[in-house]
Amino acid sequence: MSSSLEKNMLILRSSDGEEFIVPEVVAVMSKAIKNMVEDECASNTIPVPNVDANILAMVIEFCKKHDESEAEAASDLKTFDSEFVNRGQEALYDLITAANFRDVKELLDALCQNVAEMIKGKSVHHIRIQFLGYQLFEILTSNFIWNIWCDRDFD
Amino acid sequence: MSRRVRRKVARKGKDKVVLPSYPEIEDEGLSLDQKVVVDWTRLPDDTVIQLFSSLNYRDRASLSSTCRTWRSLGISPCLWQSLDLRAHKCDVTTAASLATRCMNLQKLRFRGAESADAIINLQARGLREISGDYCRKITDATLSVIVARHEALESLQLGPDFCERISSDAIKAIAICCPKLRKLKLSDCLHVDEIALANVVSLQFLSVAGTTNMKWSLVSQHWSKLPNLTGLDVSRTDVVPTTVLRLLSSSRSLKVLCALNCAALEEDANFASNNNKGKLVLTLSTDIFKGLASLFADITKKERNVFSDWRNLKKRRRTWMKS
């Protein structure tokens, strides 16, 4: 371990080479990192491939908050969670893949809950537009053409 | 005209085809320029399954209808462990179409005899718990077929309606087919007798609330042979005090006996004051909260909270409370 580094600190290196110094207790909220630490196959720097600096910073922020506020009221944590996961689709998607890949259960639960809220009560069309990139006009035009067919047959 | 269009048109008949509108699209306030920048179908499978499991069945259906990837994930066996058909009419075709998903089904709730007839078409061989409402018309034959197809059954509950067409023959079939059955609830069966029930030796909890065909003088003699019987519910029957006392003394495993609304017991003034040899007897004259709290002495502090405590605990062993 490098001398500048305090005990119980780990360095996480994101896919684009940026390094983050985090306390071990925070880092091991990721099961994948925890396993690496326990098996002692981690040197002082742990590479976190597939996760860029931006997303890694968010994940660390989330883990730090959860680590600090274990004693705090659960409702506070809940509001933090719901605000934390309230992001654009791209960030949400990247966070989910990161949380899944590094196995951070709390984060994954919060994110899944958020996506579930986005789906709840929506029609199939809406889900398609929102998540699968179907364009609204595609659906409308297909209906339009369909209607023309029907009118031609029955008028 | 494509086949699909033709079919839709044919269904509408000669009427002018109504323009299909999608009011929900406007209602949900979608903007036309909404861009989807990521491919959500490439999410890891386990995450999608976690997503499915936090949705109710309606939203699950919507989500699996959106694309092929999610459809195939939506039929994963881990999402189909319990099925509640009570709100739906389940006929043979419906059940057959669900069969591909129900291979690992463990719990099933249904309503009505028609659904009961269709259960075997779910092909859920590993089913452990079946609970049926309004089974007035369910017959011996149906019940026998159901138990014969589900040998792993641990819990079978029929009620609260009268099960008037079930007789002792079906109980004998249960005894033969389901060696693991621990819990049997038959409320208001009019043609089931004590000899048939004595054949189901695996029983731990038995409820015969509201039955009329028991010969109570013989009950203790037959039921003392049930080696695991822990809880017994004889509410709303004409059980007599001597039977209860004999049952308590002859059955070694019996811990709880529930006898609410039994006229003969309540008229007998001596009965309530009797010593029950360390076994719990619940009648209208005893303090039910106190009695139940004694069962959960380790977790319950207030007697009145016994039900909520129990719900929090989610204990699997339960006695069937009939009020």
Side-chain angles (χ1 to χ4, degrees):
Chain A
M1 279 215 173
S2 62
S3 55
S4 65
L5 211 58
E6 283 177 52
K7 222 182 160 221
N8 295 333
M9 296 296 258
L10 290 174
I11 301 174
L12 303 182
R13 187 193 288 137
S14 67
S15 61
D16 44 5
E18 206 167 315
E19 293 190 341
F20 296 84
I21 303 173
V22 289
E24 194 181 311
V25 275
V26 174
V28 295
M29 280 180 79
S30 152
K31 290 261 171 59
I33 294 179
K34 190 179 179 200
N35 290 342
M36 285 173 80
V37 173
E38 278 172 0
D39 298 345
E40 292 177 357
C41 55
S43 55
N44 53 353
T45 312
I46 298 177
V48 189
N50 304 5
V51 181
D52 65 24
N54 209 351
I55 298 297
L56 187 58
M58 288 186 206
V59 177
I60 290 171
E61 180 197 345
F62 180 91
C63 289
K64 266 187 180 152
K65 179 77 185 175
H66 270 247
D67 181 55
E68 284 165 9
S69 56
E70 257 173 303
E72 271 181 42
S75 58
D76 280 2
L77 209 56
K78 224 165 211 173
T79 35
F80 168 78
D81 280 2
S82 57
E83 277 164 22
F84 181 85
V85 295
N86 194 8
R87 290 169 197 274
Q89 284 208 7
E90 202 173 356
L92 208 53
Y93 180 87
D94 289 343
L95 275 172
I96 290 179
T97 42
N100 180 280
F101 183 58
R102 308 313 302 181
D103 203 356
V104 191
K105 192 176 172 300
E106 292 89 346
L107 180 56
L108 195 57
D109 285 350
L111 290 164
C112 274
Q113 197 54 45
N114 186 40
V115 180
E117 295 296 333
M118 288 161 75
I119 291 170
K120 271 178 194 166
K122 300 279 167 64
S123 65
V124 177
H125 290 291
H126 193 130
I127 300 174
R128 279 185 176 157
I129 291 167
Q130 200 171 3
F131 290 97
L132 302 181
Y134 281 58
Q135 296 297 316
L136 186 56
F137 77 86
E138 280 176 38
I139 291 171
L140 290 179
T141 41
S142 65
N143 278 332
F144 179 65
I145 293 165
W146 191 78
N147 291 336
I148 291 174
W149 277 341
C150 296
D151 285 349
R152 195 184 289 162
D153 277 295
F154 283 91
D155 269 351
Chain B
M1 196 158 70
S2 77
R3 195 190 301 152
R4 195 166 132 219
V5 173
R6 206 179 304 139
R7 211 187 311 134
K8 276 210 165 170
V9 169
R11 211 185 301 142
K12 300 256 180 187
K14 289 284 172 196
D15 300 339
K16 194 172 185 299
V17 177
V18 185
L19 297 181
S21 59
Y22 293 97
E24 68 266 33
I25 290 177
E26 282 112 21
D27 289 350
E28 288 161 70
L30 267 189
S31 54
L32 273 165
D33 56 346
Q34 185 157 0
K35 277 265 169 60
V36 177
V37 280
V38 286
D39 184 1
W40 285 93
T41 56
R42 291 180 58 196
L43 274 184
D45 288 358
D46 50 345
T47 309
V48 179
I49 285 172
Q50 189 181 347
L51 188 58
F52 266 108
S53 57
S54 49
L55 295 170
N56 69 12
Y57 71 98
R58 224 172 262 279
D59 294 321
R60 284 183 193 186
S62 306
L63 189 56
S64 17
S65 314
T66 50
C67 70
R68 226 171 263 174
T69 324
W70 286 348
R71 188 184 168 78
S72 63
L73 287 171
I75 62 176
S76 320
C78 59
L79 295 170
W80 290 84
Q81 298 207 325
S82 70
L83 190 59
D84 190 345
L85 294 171
R86 284 179 302 169
H88 308 276
K89 228 175 129 183
C90 181
D91 54 12
V92 175
T93 17
T94 319
S97 66
L98 287 172
T100 46
R101 289 137 213 241
C102 291
M103 301 213 281
N104 293 350
L105 196 66
Q106 309 215 323
K107 289 185 196 172
L108 177 70
R109 306 190 75 166
F110 68 95
R111 177 165 290 168
E114 199 196 350
S115 302
D117 288 330
I119 285 178
I120 50 166
N121 294 294
L122 290 174
Q123 311 267 1
R125 297 268 168 167
L127 211 55
R128 293 210 194 131
E129 293 180 25
I130 293 182
S131 159
D133 295 358
Y134 299 99
C135 303
R136 188 181 282 258
K137 287 183 188 151
I138 205 170
T139 59
D140 268 0
T142 310
L143 190 58
S144 305
V145 172
I146 290 175
V147 294
R149 292 285 182 95
H150 305 106
E151 291 172 354
L153 216 55
E154 288 173 9
S155 160
L156 177 65
Q157 304 192 39
L158 300 174
D161 206 4
F162 289 95
C163 309
E164 52 194 14
R165 297 174 71 175
I166 296 173
S167 74
S168 298
D169 292 341
I171 308 300
K172 283 172 194 159
I174 292 175
I176 295 167
C177 299
C178 303
K180 290 181 187 163
L181 194 73
R182 294 186 298 117
K183 202 155 126 183
L184 180 63
K185 176 180 157 190
L186 300 161
S187 74
D188 306 280
C189 284
L190 309 182
H191 309 289
V192 173
D193 62 25
E194 68 289 344
I195 305 170
L197 283 168
N199 293 328
V200 196
V201 284
S202 55
L203 279 184
Q204 287 182 11
F205 301 99
L206 173 65
S207 170
V208 289
T211 51
T212 53
N213 199 30
M214 297 284 167
K215 292 185 192 63
W216 291 109
S217 49
L218 300 174
V219 157
S220 61
Q221 181 194 334
H222 289 290
W223 288 0
S224 56
K225 290 175 201 155
L226 294 173
N228 303 319
L229 190 68
T230 326
L232 179 63
D233 184 0
V234 291
S235 304
R236 294 184 284 117
T237 57
D238 47 2
V239 64
V240 288
T242 43
T243 306
V244 174
L245 293 178
R246 218 179 292 160
L247 261 175
L248 291 173
S249 58
S250 63
S251 171
R252 205 176 297 162
S253 55
L254 193 64
K255 295 269 190 322
V256 185
L257 191 135
C258 179
L260 305 174
N261 282 331
C262 298
L265 293 188
E266 277 140 33
E267 282 162 14
D268 191 339
N270 296 330
F271 179 72
S273 57
N274 260 323
N275 178 20
N276 296 319
K277 303 176 184 69
K279 294 174 180 184
L280 178 60
V281 179
L282 301 173
T283 63
L284 282 188
S285 55
T286 58
D287 187 343
I288 294 172
F289 283 111
K290 197 174 175 184
L292 285 176
S294 71
L295 281 183
F296 303 108
D298 45 340
I299 55 152
T300 305
K301 283 158 198 84
K302 272 192 185 158
E303 285 165 5
R304 294 277 147 183
N305 293 342
V306 62
F307 284 110
S308 56
D309 285 349
W310 171 74
R311 243 175 253 126
N312 296 339
L313 195 70
K314 291 216 169 134
K315 269 232 166 178
R316 298 201 77 186
R317 44 173 297 210
R318 64 163 83 179
T319 54
W320 300 298
M321 297 306 303
K322 284 266 155 202
S323 50

